[in-house]
Amino acid sequence: MVRENKVEIVEVPDWTGFTSNIKPVCPLVIRLNGSDTYFCHLDNRPVKFLNKFHEKRALQNADALLSVSQYTADLTNELFGLNRNFSIIPNSIDTDKFSNESFENVVENTILYFGTLIRKKGALELPFIFNEVYKRNKDAKLILIGRDASDIISGNSSTWQMMQPLFDHDAKQNVSYLGSVPYEEIKAHITTSAVCVFPTFAEALPVSWIEAMAMKKAIVASDIGWAVEVIDDSINGYLVHPKQHQLYADKIIQLLDNKEVRNNFGMEARKKAVQKFSIEVVAAQSVDFYKKVIKK
């Protein structure tokens, strides 16, 4: 099939290492977006032996390796006891599609989280964080958008069900969970939000952060690993550990109360999104990488 169709290169994800027993006649590239071993480590969960075995062998056999972040590359080498070289090419977005010309449509005191409701993305920390915000700003509103996921640790079929009793009674009245919404509607909610929050524990390089940045949003995000490759703390967003609920809330309050800082963060965030994560920039890096692999 590879010869017949004159395929020059094959790229596959690292998840579960399904190419551990495959060796095509053309170069095989693995792109890291986070293996099962990687996410189990970040979630403090045991990994299945076969998954780790095949993921390691696939990485060892690959002709070249890509990673969406340096953090993911370094941790992957550490977890598998490897010393492979990775080229770092981040995830990208269409910064023309995700754009926001003005700040006039912002609804003050709105806090937006968009993404799957799941433990690894910090969903169970959000109630504690918002409780602290609400104590100091009774007008603050939290909007949640995304699919409700089952919780792999507790076995509960709904993370949203687990979140609800964690909100203080009065704070919960200012929380809206919209579930999954069409992609275009998410952009509308990003546009009107004052602050976007991403208290995640486990990512490789989150596209949702970049989308919010491209739309000039002030962000309070997790400070774990990959985060510093996306956000420059106190320049185009704030980075705080998700377990530091009070500090996390403090940063949100600062942005809700100070429109000038919020807008400056948004402008700087847009600038970085265009310069580092736009399709044009990442495509050029990818073409250069593939040419070198094929030539080699």
Side-chain angles (χ1 to χ4, degrees), residues 14-30:
D14 53 340
W15 185 256
T16 67
F18 68 89
T19 57
S20 68
N21 293 315
I22 298 173
K23 190 64 177 176
V25 295
C26 67
L28 175 67
V29 175
I30 292 182

Side-chain angles (χ1 to χ4, degrees), residues 13-294:
D14 53 340
W15 185 256
T16 67
F18 68 89
T19 57
S20 68
N21 293 315
I22 298 173
K23 190 64 177 176
V25 295
C26 67
L28 175 67
V29 175
I30 292 182
R31 180 187 293 267
L32 301 188
N33 274 290
S35 62
D36 186 42
T37 303
Y38 174 88
F39 281 114
C40 283
H41 173 80
L42 293 179
D43 282 344
N44 294 309
R45 293 185 286 112
V47 63
K48 294 178 181 177
F49 170 80
L50 279 179
N51 283 358
K52 185 171 184 178
F53 172 80
H54 286 298
E55 287 173 344
K56 180 174 182 177
R57 188 157 74 173
L59 290 167
Q60 288 174 320
N61 292 340
D63 296 292
L65 297 169
L66 279 173
S67 178
V68 295
S69 69
Q70 188 65 55
Y71 175 82
T72 302
D74 293 343
L75 184 55
T76 295
N77 265 333
E78 179 184 333
L79 292 173
F80 291 107
L82 302 175
N83 189 28
R84 294 293 309 266
N85 291 322
F86 288 85
S87 294
I88 310 301
I89 300 180
N91 290 323
S92 65
I93 66 164
D94 185 342
T95 53
D96 290 331
K97 184 176 181 180
F98 284 89
S99 62
N100 184 19
E101 295 306 318
S102 73
F103 299 103
E104 294 178 3
N105 295 322
V106 168
V107 177
E108 295 296 326
N109 297 306
T110 55
I111 304 162
L112 174 67
Y113 167 88
F114 62 100
T116 305
L117 290 192
I118 192 169
R119 182 188 296 264
K120 72 178 184 179
K121 290 185 179 289
L124 297 180
E125 308 307 319
L126 273 171
F128 299 108
I129 292 168
F130 185 67
N131 289 342
E132 296 300 323
V133 171
Y134 183 79
K135 288 175 185 176
R136 294 163 55 186
N137 184 340
K138 297 297 189 290
D139 294 322
K141 292 180 173 58
L142 175 63
I143 299 172
L144 307 169
I145 295 176
R147 177 179 61 86
D148 184 15
S150 56
D151 184 61
I152 195 168
I153 293 178
S154 69
N156 195 304
S157 62
S158 169
T159 299
W160 173 234
Q161 286 182 358
M162 297 174 66
M163 292 173 67
Q164 292 181 63
L166 303 179
F167 288 105
D168 292 341
H169 179 267
D170 290 341
K172 187 180 176 183
Q173 310 310 308
N174 281 16
V175 178
S176 300
Y177 174 43
L178 307 183
S180 296
V181 304
Y183 205 55
E184 288 300 315
E185 286 186 29
I186 293 177
K187 287 173 57 182
H189 284 287
I190 298 172
T191 299
T192 56
S193 65
V195 178
C196 290
V197 293
F198 303 104
T200 184
F201 291 100
E203 295 277 10
L205 193 91
V207 171
S208 56
W209 298 20
I210 302 168
E211 291 171 343
M213 292 170 71
M215 295 189 69
K216 300 180 181 176
K217 291 293 118 175
I219 295 171
V220 185
S222 165
D223 68 348
I224 298 172
W226 65 89
V228 296
E229 298 179 54
V230 183
I231 292 175
D232 306 292
D233 189 32
S234 300
I235 296 175
N236 45 41
Y238 284 130
L239 298 178
V240 186
H241 195 279
K243 290 287 187 182
Q244 293 183 289
H245 303 145
Q246 183 63 63
L247 181 58
Y248 210 108
D250 288 346
K251 298 301 184 183
I252 294 173
I253 290 289
Q254 287 179 33
L255 293 171
L256 293 180
D257 289 349
N258 195 321
K259 185 184 294 186
E260 183 179 358
V261 172
R262 200 168 69 212
N263 291 351
N264 285 340
F265 276 18
M267 295 292 288
E268 290 297 319
R270 168 72 184 178
K271 188 187 302 182
K272 183 164 187 180
V274 171
Q275 291 176 348
K276 185 172 181 179
F277 304 112
S278 65
I279 286 177
E280 295 80 8
V281 170
V282 174
Q285 294 174 346
S286 299
V287 169
D288 183 60
F289 169 80
Y290 296 137
K291 284 181 177 179
K292 289 179 180 177
V293 172
I294 292 170

